[in-house]
């Protein structure tokens, strides 16, 4: 209040769309000091993105925000339909339907959730306010520099009210641009966008001789129409073409012939060219980052924009957290670009492969049914159509995200080469590093609640360590040795013990010992037969709320006695250890054995990117 | 404002506990003018009821209130555990566990939801406020008379502020007392309570040589303990015994030996004697009604109070609605007492039968497992233990409610004697009149959403008519004849056509034609094969949102092609018609046939309690 003291922040976030809000929400919960601005005087009023993919709904649930989203009664899309012109020129007819998220994808919510972006933003904003973060509006950025003048807060950022009467320069550890396609930050950094052809593949679409329409149901009985009013093959084509509502409505009527359409009212209306592109870089210095539409623009018909933005933000959030808390090496921040840019590229490349294969021809209903069946049974994977169909479903549901092998995603070429690592490639587990953890339903032992295992640990910035403990009689010693290994002072787990461990409240469920790991134990046993205090070492007992019985039947593995073990592809009797990244993607899978091997392997894995030394061998102790 | 004009109401409700609030909420939604008062200055602050049974959660969902309840993150109880003293005097040990709602009960939510009553009340109050009903507090009733001085508003009610400075006399069509155990209305009516022995059967309980405790998990990490501090067999026993918190805590510590307990803080504490009783009458004149604790008090350990109260209110709400809208004869109001008093009596009687059978001995874990299996497979139903075990589970989950045969619940002795009625007794359907409709998952045709059929029609005061339409190729004519029969001017359906039918908005989903019926059609077909406009008569097409494909596999009928048909016990090809009361209980089941028979049978059924004449035969038309 008394003079211009320079404000310092952990992060300055520009833009309060999906990517900025999700990043801000995570970091605010984890205690970071945030300056978050947006150019608009208020959240999105109408229009913009509206489709939440199944995978994104998992994420929102993991953040405890799904219920607030669902309270708006969004539309749910389980199926898409294709309409094409009849040969005889009498207008369109339906040529087939396609499940949004067919049953071969193991999704908790096999539907797309449709809801106005402004309502989604409000859910995040309400959560931010609980953590005392308020979006400063309408403010914009007009300058920034990673000048290193302050070692701890190397970036200087200049902000101003949009009317220009007020401005402020602050220092920050990180600057994040979630500005959208027109990004001041990106421009200043000189990062180029590589443009791609607009996608030709559209799911849920009406093709007619007069153009195309995509129909999207929405909350409150509304419908959104994407109406094609021009094509780049038109003689008079211009990317700046405009159109009145009446012209657009007339186009819709022509396309829908022989069906008719009327409007009660128009909620929102906009004309824009469809463009796709991807930024060459997401960061230059791992201090100034970009994400969301700032880095990749999609055809709105692909339904990818907001969902990709969410995952950008989630990916960056925990990495910044791990660096800033002294857990992981600063070099991990490079993986934000390498992981997320690859996904954006894959999405665009997939689309061109898809359209090449089908050359505008929609597959028939019969072909889709056959492909669904093949995908379910895992047959004929070398059939090109089945493969592309499956990939297409995975991309549009959000489960197509697969990060390449790197320091987090174990592979044969990972620096950790302990022989106990299990890989999907060698058929030792069904889990794939860099892929989302397979969902599984289990019984929580402490209160007998039937729960979704993959949702039991919230998005709290921690690694999730799942001890699939097999049959208690078989694994008794291995489980004891595992706990013994963790307790060793030099283990990855103990070197990151909480400094305030003596003051930890007994209600603490997720971080009783370490702020970077939450451990879950899953027994292949019937719940009433599990006696927590008799069957588990003390260290694991402390994770009282994270002990589970794998005793719930699952129709996907109908013959399994322990369905969760079976779904992970781990032996039902011997179990195994699964390390899941804070964002829910599998890091590595390790065999559960007598002796120190299991923890040794994990020490190698974490040792490859953690800051503190760990994992001296037994002999050295 | 200007002078003492006598206010007139459709109903005056005394008491804003669960029974009064649910009644008020229903009637407010259906447009009734309500005066609702409560003696307390604010909703329940702490204590009182906290257990929502699985069946009650269905009801709250049907009212659209479940999400608001769940937003409070209540505890969920899936299992109960029994603890008994060891023979050797070393304190208690766990002797078994028991599922709250075992899998032989087909429940959507097989758990008890535990939440402070005040939070539940707030959910109702918020809904009431949307309909401009505010609870007047702290006010009480001090007089009433069904004096008939005004034919339309026969009851005079005198109310006053609890401090006595302000009072008001109003006239009303109905007076409802949800005052609780100490009821002014009941006392004035001279209705006696028949007392019963306190129940001896308690689920989820700790028996020790020092007394008993029941432990109930609650929201926000709280726990509720019911601690026995005296027994009627004690020498110095008094029903007015009091105890300090310290004395109660000491009792708990003795009972829990060899385990220990500490208190962080005490949220709420009360000492009361356990008493059970039932009012001889619920109404004398079908104008002044009572419900909830006013009519029946249970041991709190039975967990029945609030749940029975909810169902009392629901039962009365639609009956008043049907009389006041001129749909049904006033005599149906007598069924409120006959139906609801029977349930209260059954609950109390069952308890005494139960305790007699077991004489305080808890069944062993093995016995419970065997009984669960027998109950699931339907074997050995004449085994007394299995029968009682099953009944016990049904009662405590809320699915034990079975209304006797009467004018709503068809039986062989119903006045409607058309030969097409199907009964469970004769094995022609699995549905039982007076029992809740079996849940079934189906695909909604219009938007491909996978939905819970039994929840698709909200609690809107209407009869729910489910046309299980079997295979389209088989039932084509029968379905057409069914619609033709409904369209006839004299059908039960057409005589109650909406007077404003020409003005009905096309968004109207539930009442396009009649305010008293919502019709759902369920085909045994794969969703993409259903073409609504080609396969359905116009009348059924208008229920666009209520056309379903019975194409979702169900593990309870794994071999069925049409699981919903199979679960109802209807032939998968030929189907059948199920009439469900507005409260979700089955009224009657009728065979679906060519010709007029199906609608003829329904005309007879509705003709037996509806006001308008209906169902002249084809010859008479």
């Amino acid at each position: 209040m008394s003079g211009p003291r320079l404000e310092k922040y952990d992060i300055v976030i520009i833009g309060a769309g999906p990517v900025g809000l999700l990043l801000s929400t995570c970091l605010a919960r984890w205690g970071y000091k945030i300056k978050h601005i947006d150019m608009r005087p208020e959240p999105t009023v109408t229009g913009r993105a509206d489709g939440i993919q199944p995978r994104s709904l998992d994420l929102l649930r993991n953040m405890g925000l799904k219920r607030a989203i669902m309270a708006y009664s969004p539309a749910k899309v389980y199926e898409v339909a294709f309409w094409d012109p009849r040969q005889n020129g009498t207008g369109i007819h339906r040529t087939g339907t396609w499940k949004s998220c067919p049953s071969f994808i193991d999704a908790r919510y096999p539907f797309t959730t449709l809801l106005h972006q402004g309502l989604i933003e409000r859910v995040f904003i309400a959560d931010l306010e609980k953590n005392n973060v308020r979006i400063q509006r309408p403010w914009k950025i007009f300058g920034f520099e990673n000048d290193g003048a302050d070692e701890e807060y190397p970036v200087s950022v200049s902000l101003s009210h949009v009317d220009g009467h007020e401005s402020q320069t602050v220092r920050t550890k990180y600057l994040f641009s979630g500005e959208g396609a027109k990004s001041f930050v990106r421009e200043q950094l000189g990062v180029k966008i590589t443009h791609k052809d607009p996608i030709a593949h559209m799911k849920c679409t009406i093709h007619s001789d007069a153009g195309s329409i995509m129909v999207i149901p929405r909350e409150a009985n509304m419908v959104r129409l994407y109406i094609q009013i021009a094509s780049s093959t038109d003689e008079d084509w211009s990317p700046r073409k405009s159109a009145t509502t009446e012209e657009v409505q007339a186009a819709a009527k022509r396309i829908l012939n022989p069906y008719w359409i009327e409007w009660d009212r128009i909620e929102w209306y906009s004309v824009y060219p469809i463009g796709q592109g991807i930024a060459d870089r997401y960061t230059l210095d791992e201090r100034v980052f970009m994400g969301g539409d700032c880095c990749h623009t999609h055809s709105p018909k692909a339904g990818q924009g907001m969902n990709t933005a969410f995952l950008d933000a989630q990916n960056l959030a925990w990495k910044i957290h791990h660096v800033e808390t002294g857990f992981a090496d600063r070099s991990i921040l490079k993986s934000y670009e390498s992981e997320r840019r690859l996904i954006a590229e894959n999405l665009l490349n997939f689309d061109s492969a898809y359209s090449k294969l089908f050359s505008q021809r929609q597959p028939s209903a019969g072909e889709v049914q056959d492909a669904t069946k093949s995908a379910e049974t895992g047959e004929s994977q070398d059939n090109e159509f089945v493969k592309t169909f499956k990939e297409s479903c995975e991309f549009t549901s959000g489960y197509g995200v697969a990060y390449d092998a790197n320091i987090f995603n174990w592979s044969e070429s990972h620096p950790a080469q302990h022989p106990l690592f299990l890989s999907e490639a060698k058929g030792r587990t069904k889990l794939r590093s860099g892929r989302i953890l397979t969902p599984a339903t289990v019984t929580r032992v402490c209160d007998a609640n039937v729960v979704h295992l993959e949702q039991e640990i919230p998005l709290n910035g921690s690694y999730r360590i799942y001890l699939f403990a097999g049959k208690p009689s078989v694994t008794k010693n291995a489980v004891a040795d595992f706990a013994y290994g963790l307790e060793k002072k030099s283990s990855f787990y103990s070197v990151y013990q909480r400094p305030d461990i003596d003051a930890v409240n007994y209600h603490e469920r997720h971080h009783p010992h370490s702020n970077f790991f939450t451990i879950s134990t899953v027994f292949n046993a019937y719940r009433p037969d599990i006696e927590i205090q008799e069957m588990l070492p003390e260290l694991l007992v402390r994770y009282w709320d994270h002990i589970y019985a794998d005793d719930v039947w699952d129709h996907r593995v109908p013959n399994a006695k322990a369905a969760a073990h079976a779904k992970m592809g781990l032996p039902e009797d011997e179990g195994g250890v699964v390390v899941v990244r804070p964002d829910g993607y599998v890091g590595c899978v390790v065999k559960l054995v007598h002796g120190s091997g299991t923890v040794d392997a994990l020490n190698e894995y974490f040792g490859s990117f953690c800051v503190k030394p760990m994992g001296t061998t037994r002999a050295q102790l």
Side-chain angles (χ1 to χ4, degrees), chain A residues 40 44 46-50 116-117 121 218 224 226 268:
Chain A
R40 302 170 297 167
T44 301
T46 54
R48 299 199 180 225
D50 47 16
H116 162 221
Q117 180 175 324
E121 290 174 6
R218 277 273 299 273
R224 181 167 178 169
Y226 292 92
W268 178 69

Side-chain angles (χ1 to χ4, degrees), chain A residues 4-75:
Chain A
R5 211 171 61 86
L6 200 62
E7 288 179 9
K8 293 181 179 182
Y9 293 93
D10 291 317
I11 189 163
V12 175
I13 297 175
I14 315 296
V19 70
L21 287 170
L22 197 142
L23 181 63
S24 196
T25 299
C26 287
L27 294 177
R29 289 174 174 193
W30 302 338
Y32 291 90
K33 191 176 171 199
I34 298 166
K35 166 80 97 181
H36 196 160
I37 67 161
D38 193 276
M39 283 182 72
R40 302 170 297 167
E42 55 183 314
T44 301
V45 177
T46 54
R48 299 199 180 225
D50 47 16
I52 303 174
Q53 294 172 340
R55 161 64 192 128
S56 298
L57 202 57
D58 290 339
L59 167 57
L60 293 171
R61 179 172 164 204
N62 203 230
M63 298 181 72
L65 301 176
K66 173 171 164 274
R67 189 172 278 144
I69 296 280
M70 289 305 183
Y72 287 114
S73 299

Side-chain angles (χ1 to χ4, degrees), chain A residues 338-609:
Chain A
S338 61
E339 292 198 329
R340 295 305 306 163
R341 196 173 176 285
L342 175 79
I343 299 301
E345 242 177 7
N346 284 351
L347 279 171
L348 297 187
N349 291 342
F350 168 76
D351 182 68
S352 90
Y354 183 95
S355 40
K356 200 168 150 199
L357 184 66
F358 295 103
S359 318
Q360 306 276 6
R361 182 184 75 86
Q362 288 297 342
S364 74
E367 278 175 299
V368 169
Q369 268 185 48
D370 290 349
T372 305
K373 195 162 280 180
S374 302
E376 267 169 11
T377 57
E379 283 165 20
S380 39
Q381 283 295 339
D382 31 53
N383 174 324
E384 188 74 359
F385 177 73
V386 172
K387 190 169 159 286
T388 309
F389 168 77
K390 201 174 161 180
E391 272 179 36
S392 166
C393 293
E394 283 178 348
F395 274 119
T396 50
S397 60
Y399 294 101
V401 170
Y403 295 127
D404 274 359
N406 63 14
I407 203 76
F408 300 121
N409 312 320
W410 192 88
S411 69
E412 304 289 335
S413 57
H414 194 275
Q417 281 299 326
H418 199 283
L420 290 180
F421 284 102
L422 306 178
S423 72
E424 192 253 352
K426 293 199 171 164
R428 305 288 297 281
T429 169
K430 287 185 197 160
L431 295 172
R432 286 179 287 180
S433 299
R435 284 267 186 172
I436 198 84
L437 180 71
T438 305
T441 303
V442 295
T443 307
R444 192 161 57 206
V445 174
C446 67
D447 63 2
N449 277 217
V450 176
V451 297
H452 294 173
L453 182 63
E454 75 282 6
Q455 287 287 351
E456 280 285 284
I457 302 171
L459 183 64
N460 60 5
S462 300
Y463 270 87
R464 306 162 182 200
I465 298 180
Y466 295 91
L467 170 60
F468 286 91
K471 264 202 178 159
S473 57
V474 173
T475 58
K476 195 164 186 287
N477 293 333
V479 167
D481 289 346
F482 179 70
Y484 178 78
L486 295 181
E487 277 169 356
K488 279 196 220 162
K489 282 221 170 76
S490 63
S491 80
F492 70 94
Y493 182 80
S494 292
V495 297
Y496 288 108
Q497 193 177 70
R498 289 174 69 143
D500 59 345
I501 186 151
D502 294 331
V504 174
N505 186 286
Y506 57 82
H507 285 311
E508 174 56 53
R509 300 167 58 164
H510 308 302
H511 293 145
H513 292 141
S514 168
N515 284 324
F516 300 104
F517 305 101
T518 304
I519 307 183
S520 293
T521 306
V522 186
F523 280 114
N524 168 4
Y526 182 55
R527 199 211 69 84
D529 297 335
I530 298 174
E531 293 290 344
I532 292 178
Q533 279 172 313
E534 289 169 25
M535 288 163 58
L536 283 158
E538 202 184 316
L539 184 147
L540 298 175
V541 168
R542 185 57 185 82
Y543 292 87
W544 191 265
D545 292 284
H546 290 298
I547 299 166
Y548 307 92
D550 191 359
D551 63 358
V552 180
W553 180 80
D554 189 310
H555 69 102
R556 288 177 188 275
V557 284
N559 301 317
K561 289 234 161 128
H565 283 68
K567 289 180 83 173
M568 308 300 157
L570 294 170
E572 295 181 33
D573 287 0
E574 292 83 15
V577 176
V578 178
V579 173
V580 174
R581 303 159 29 142
D583 51 10
Y585 293 84
V586 175
C588 66
V589 184
V590 180
K591 197 169 174 179
L592 177 64
V593 295
H594 293 208
S596 69
T598 306
V599 175
D600 290 344
L602 295 180
N603 285 337
E604 279 190 30
Y605 171 77
F606 286 107
S608 68
F609 54 82

Side-chain angles (χ1 to χ4, degrees), chain A residues 262 307 385:
Chain A
E262 282 177 23
N307 294 284
F385 177 73

Side-chain angles (χ1 to χ4, degrees), chain A residues 19 22-23 59 176 282 290-296 298 305-318 336 339-341 343-344 403:
Chain A
V19 70
L22 197 142
L23 181 63
L59 167 57
F176 181 82
Y282 282 28
M290 300 176 287
D293 284 359
C294 186
C295 294
H296 42 78
H298 306 267
M306 178 167 60
N307 294 284
T308 307
F310 282 153
L311 295 185
D312 283 351
Q314 186 201 23
N315 192 290
L316 183 59
W318 66 271
Y336 167 66
E339 292 198 329
R340 295 305 306 163
R341 196 173 176 285
I343 299 301
Y403 295 127

